[in-house]
Amino acid sequence: MKNYSKSPVIKAPLRSRIFRIVSQQAALKNVRAFVIGGYVRDYFLKRRTTDIDIVVEGNGMDMALAVASVLKVNATLFKNFGTAMLRYRGLEIEFVGARKESYRSDSRNPVVENGTVEDDRERRDFTINAMAFSLQEEDYGTLTDPFNGLEDIRNKIIRTPLDPDSTFSDDPLRMIRAIRFAAQLEFTIDKDSFASISKNAERINIVSQERITAELQKIMASRKPSIGFNLLEESGLLSIILPQVAMLRGVETMEGKGHKEIFSHTMQVLDNVAAVSDNIWLRWAALLHDVGKPPTKHFDKDTGWTFYGHDFVGSKMIPAIFRNLRLPLGEEMKYVRKLVQLHLRPIALVNEVSDSGVRRLLYDAGENIDDLMLLCRADITSKNPQIVKRHLTNFELVSKKLIEVEEKDAIRNFQPPISGEIIMKTYGLPPCREVGMIKDFIKEAILDGQIGNNYDEALALMKQRAAELGLSEVGA
Ligand code: CTP
């Protein structure tokens, strides 16, 4: 460890009432307390944060209770972990006793002992997260930075404080955290730390899926998610945690013909979407839009490489991917599945931009039409500027037509003007096949433009179809 005695003293004002109270309580209990971790890092990065971690040389839960009683709020104790949390004016403050942790090679379980703040910092994940501000009266707010985290912040570097193999072995989730911080802060991972991630990637298997996915969501929410997913791919982690996306990497060549490299294309689509939308699920749809390509890849002498049906096959893969990642299986999953299934539709319309084709697309996409168009627009990537230009011109054409048809026909969130109820009442029917047939017939006629989207024309068609089916009206 370097000697920083000559470094200029850096002091943070730490004006919040909470810090003063912790400081007073620490003095009363005759223990040392520090603000540590994310709060200190974000102070220097000028990022807003509402999470404060306090490390106490003593019992974290006792300290939390003492502070909570001054603030007249409740503290939540996590007895199994010896930690406690309280909320105060939008802040979430976590208290932990300083620990010295070591792992025996014959066991995954740590041997945890009480330690000093110096011990505690050694077992933290990255140099930028191991800095602390003192809460002692005599040097209140003074930074201690044993691993030179401030310099790493200045140089935008993610680096483990100790030998990376040992830091990652203490908690393998840190391998993904390193990548998450690289994506979130747009930092570079130090060479040795990254080599260690590649070497130890398999160890991620002992981490719970929920923790992994929480980090993936943070990568997804970052300004340029490709930074994170490229690092996950490069390190070998992606093929363990999301093999369906890792498989997109690579180009196969047959008879001198290669296909587009789908992984880098996907990265570009993901960033394109992220540049125009914060919707995390639209970003997932971008990441997954081509997962059906590897299973449908085919080479033919005449047609070259094809991926027929990859939209359909890809959409079928979504539920299992969401289940494995423990992502929500309700509306969010259905939304991603739908966008993956429909992602080719707008551009496919280009060959024949008919009103009925556009109406069907509007009907199938429903309220997700705008997001689908964002995805489709983002999906136009090519190294050849001529191709991009041609596709964009076509895309604009479809977009214009969509607006026209929508204004005219109001198909989005379309409910056929004749409900099943009306059909059942008119013909004295219980719910049955005929009711569905008549309803579908009306819907198809509207989408095809044979009749307008209104009650009177739909009613006339209902009567015509019912007569064909041999039904008579009640009381007729
Ligand atoms: N930490 C660690 N190893 C982990 C998780 C956390 O060493 N696997 C330490 C780091 O010092 C980190 C602190 O615990 O700064 C708090 O962790 P957490 O709240 O998860 O992350 P933050 O660094 O605060 O970042 P963010 O708020 O962006 O999640």
Side-chain angles (χ1 to χ4, degrees):
M1 207 183 291
K2 282 192 199 171
N3 176 2
Y4 287 97
S5 55
K6 290 200 197 80
S7 309
V9 174
I10 295 176
K11 268 192 181 197
L14 302 184
R15 284 196 198 91
S16 171
R17 185 169 171 230
I18 190 86
F19 295 124
R20 292 282 171 195
I21 293 171
V22 177
S23 177
Q24 284 156 10
Q25 293 303 314
L28 282 175
K29 289 180 182 298
N30 201 20
V31 295
R32 293 201 301 163
F34 295 81
V35 193
I36 195 158
Y39 181 91
V40 183
R41 176 197 70 222
D42 289 345
Y43 172 86
F44 291 110
L45 286 168
K46 300 192 171 52
R47 289 169 95 218
R48 269 184 62 83
T49 176
T50 49
D51 290 352
I52 298 175
D53 291 300
I54 306 282
V55 62
V56 186
E57 285 180 348
N59 188 315
M61 293 191 293
D62 284 354
M63 177 61 88
L65 288 172
V67 174
S69 114
V70 178
L71 292 173
K72 298 193 172 48
V73 296
N74 289 324
T76 314
L77 305 183
F78 304 99
K79 290 196 177 131
N80 290 347
F81 299 99
T83 65
M85 191 268 285
L86 58 85
R87 291 179 213 278
Y88 176 69
R89 293 194 175 163
L91 299 172
E92 199 168 286
I93 305 118
E94 188 132 17
F95 293 82
V96 55
R99 279 178 284 191
K100 186 178 180 168
E101 209 166 279
S102 60
Y103 286 71
R104 282 198 302 261
S105 55
D106 59 342
S107 159
R108 257 194 230 157
N109 300 326
V111 183
V112 184
E113 299 163 32
N114 290 339
T116 62
V117 72
E118 286 76 20
D119 299 324
D120 193 275
R121 275 188 307 217
E122 286 199 359
R123 45 166 287 272
R124 295 202 169 244
D125 52 3
F126 306 112
T127 59
I128 61 168
N129 287 343
M131 300 184 286
F133 290 134
S134 166
L135 292 176
Q136 283 44 260
E137 206 46 59
E138 63 277 12
D139 60 352
Y140 186 83
T142 300
L143 174 73
T144 47
D145 180 17
F147 305 106
N148 226 2
L150 202 50
E151 198 175 308
D152 283 344
I153 285 192
R154 287 197 189 106
N155 296 324
K156 297 179 175 262
I157 293 205
I158 308 292
R159 185 200 316 269
T160 57
L162 304 177
D163 164 41
D165 284 352
S166 111
T167 298
F168 293 138
S169 144
D170 278 1
D171 177 4
L173 181 72
R174 290 168 169 174
M175 300 189 287
I176 302 188
R177 277 174 65 88
I179 291 173
R180 182 261 282 195
F181 283 119
Q184 218 173 29
L185 306 177
E186 304 194 4
F187 278 26
T188 310
I189 301 176
D190 153 72
K191 209 163 99 310
D192 291 343
S193 298
F194 192 73
S196 170
I197 296 176
S198 306
K199 188 171 109 192
N200 294 299
E202 284 289 336
R203 297 260 303 153
I204 201 64
N205 283 318
I206 67 165
V207 176
S208 79
Q209 186 59 53
E210 285 76 5
R211 293 181 77 210
I212 295 174
T213 298
E215 295 297 328
L216 288 183
Q217 291 287 49
K218 289 183 181 175
I219 293 175
M220 208 44 133
S222 58
R223 188 186 72 89
K224 217 173 151 205
S226 70
I227 298 177
F229 285 99
N230 273 318
L231 290 170
L232 286 173
E233 199 276 328
E234 236 176 276
S235 62
L237 281 165
L238 197 65
S239 56
I240 302 169
I241 60 177
L242 197 42
Q244 299 88 340
V245 175
M247 280 191 54
L248 303 177
R249 175 58 96 204
V251 180
E252 217 179 315
T253 307
M254 292 281 263
E255 300 183 2
K257 285 187 200 165
H259 56 74
K260 188 162 167 173
E261 209 289 313
I262 309 162
F263 186 80
S264 38
H265 161 73
T266 297
M267 291 299 105
Q268 200 183 333
V269 177
L270 178 57
D271 285 348
N272 288 348
V273 161
V276 292
S277 170
D278 289 336
N279 176 347
I280 197 108
W281 303 110
L282 181 55
R283 294 175 177 206
W284 275 103
L287 180 74
L288 301 175
H289 78 284
D290 272 348
V291 287
K293 277 194 168 173
T296 55
K297 184 157 84 173
H298 178 74
F299 182 80
D300 181 277
K301 270 206 276 308
D302 304 321
T303 47
W305 290 102
T306 59
F307 303 91
Y308 286 130
H310 79 266
D311 41 351
F312 177 73
V313 170
S315 75
K316 292 274 170 220
M317 292 164 69
I318 302 303
I321 293 177
F322 266 56
R323 206 172 305 117
N324 291 342
L325 292 177
R326 309 267 192 283
L327 285 170
L329 292 170
E331 288 311 309
E332 298 85 349
M333 186 280 284
K334 288 184 193 146
Y335 165 89
V336 172
R337 185 176 61 187
K338 183 167 166 188
L339 289 190
V340 172
Q341 183 174 349
L342 297 178
H343 81 271
L344 296 177
R345 286 275 298 278
I347 228 49
L349 271 181
V350 157
N351 297 327
E352 185 220 345
V353 194
S354 64
D355 279 19
S356 68
V358 172
R359 257 188 241 112
R360 277 181 192 284
L361 176 62
L362 272 166
Y363 177 74
D364 290 338
E367 60 181 3
N368 304 127
I369 186 71
D370 295 330
D371 290 351
L372 177 64
M373 292 305 276
L374 285 181
L375 176 61
C376 188
R377 168 76 182 73
D379 196 15
I380 302 174
T381 76
S382 166
K383 286 200 191 94
N384 182 339
Q386 289 306 107
I387 295 182
V388 171
K389 197 165 164 235
R390 196 175 67 230
H391 276 98
L392 281 180
T393 312
N394 289 340
F395 178 83
E396 294 309 330
L397 208 78
V398 175
S399 302
K400 245 178 83 193
K401 192 80 186 172
L402 265 174
I403 296 168
E404 271 171 40
V405 170
E406 240 225 312
E407 275 174 4
K408 202 159 52 127
D409 299 350
I411 296 291
R412 188 192 310 219
N413 299 326
F414 163 78
Q415 291 296 334
I418 294 288
S419 66
E421 289 280 291
I422 296 177
I423 302 169
M424 288 192 282
K425 224 163 122 196
T426 313
Y427 298 101
L429 294 171
C432 62
R433 205 164 65 95
E434 280 75 9
V435 177
M437 282 166 70
I438 298 174
K439 250 179 86 177
D440 268 0
F441 192 73
I442 297 169
K443 182 191 92 189
E444 294 296 317
I446 294 172
L447 293 177
D448 276 346
Q450 287 157 10
I451 63 167
N453 183 13
N454 62 65
Y455 182 80
D456 287 346
E457 286 181 68
L459 189 74
L461 197 69
M462 173 191 84
K463 291 188 174 181
Q464 180 200 318
R465 185 69 184 135
E468 283 167 16
L469 291 171
L471 300 170
S472 33
E473 289 185 32
V474 173

